[in-house]
Amino acid sequence: MNIDLERLLDLLDKLNSKQLRYLQKEIPKLIDSAKVREKSYESSCKWVLLAKRNDGQVFKVNEICMCSECQKRKMPELFLEDLNGNYADCIKVGDLFTGEYQLNNDLDELQQNE
């Protein structure tokens, strides 16, 4: 068994039921955070731009579009995907200035601001 896993199991064994229930609620967020970190390391680009919506949902900016329509508007669009890599939304860059989204490249920092 990996020594880090042994330490983790030892720590978990010391938690009370209230702490374990809280941890159980936080595990999905931790898994999502780990997935984003893993994807960012797997890709050739190690810098990831994330957008957090007011409802707390975090998206990865997958693509920045500057097609002819975007050029006419002089406003690129951002294609967003959820933390599982599924298409989620397409927003105009101007939408970032309405307060609906918060941009960051650090998932941990975005989740601390909840």
Side-chain angles (χ1 to χ4, degrees):
M1 185 183 301
N2 185 328
I3 189 79
D4 291 334
L5 184 55
E6 288 176 15
R7 288 181 189 161
L8 177 61
L9 291 174
D10 184 49
L11 172 70
L12 290 173
D13 190 47
K14 293 176 184 173
L15 298 177
N16 63 39
S17 62
K18 184 177 179 180
Q19 292 168 322
L20 287 168
R21 280 192 303 275
Y22 176 79
L23 181 62
Q24 186 176 15
K25 286 187 225 173
E26 293 299 311
I27 284 178
K29 291 179 191 174
L30 295 170
I31 291 170
D32 289 343
S33 176
K35 285 179 182 178
V36 168
R37 281 193 307 272
E38 289 164 3
K39 278 189 174 188
S40 70
Y41 290 124
E42 290 171 5
S43 70
S44 59
C45 176
K46 295 195 181 203
W47 191 77
V48 176
L49 184 60
L50 302 167
K52 179 180 175 183
R53 198 167 48 200
N54 283 343
D55 64 4
Q57 195 166 7
V58 177
F59 304 98
K60 178 181 160 196
V61 176
N62 183 45
E63 183 181 341
I64 300 173
C65 178
M66 270 306 289
C67 68
S68 59
E69 289 299 313
C70 291
Q71 289 176 18
K72 284 179 192 174
R73 280 194 311 270
K74 297 181 181 174
M75 178 84 54
E77 293 179 325
L78 304 177
F79 287 87
L80 306 177
E81 59 182 34
D82 64 20
L83 298 179
N84 295 318
N86 301 309
Y87 171 83
D89 202 358
C90 176
I91 63 171
K92 293 178 183 69
V93 169
D95 295 341
L96 299 174
F97 302 103
T98 64
E100 184 179 354
Y101 289 91
Q102 175 187 358
L103 284 182
N104 202 317
N105 65 341
D106 185 339
L107 181 62
D108 295 326
E109 188 177 315
L110 279 176
Q111 290 179 334
Q112 287 175 359
N113 293 335
E114 288 185 4

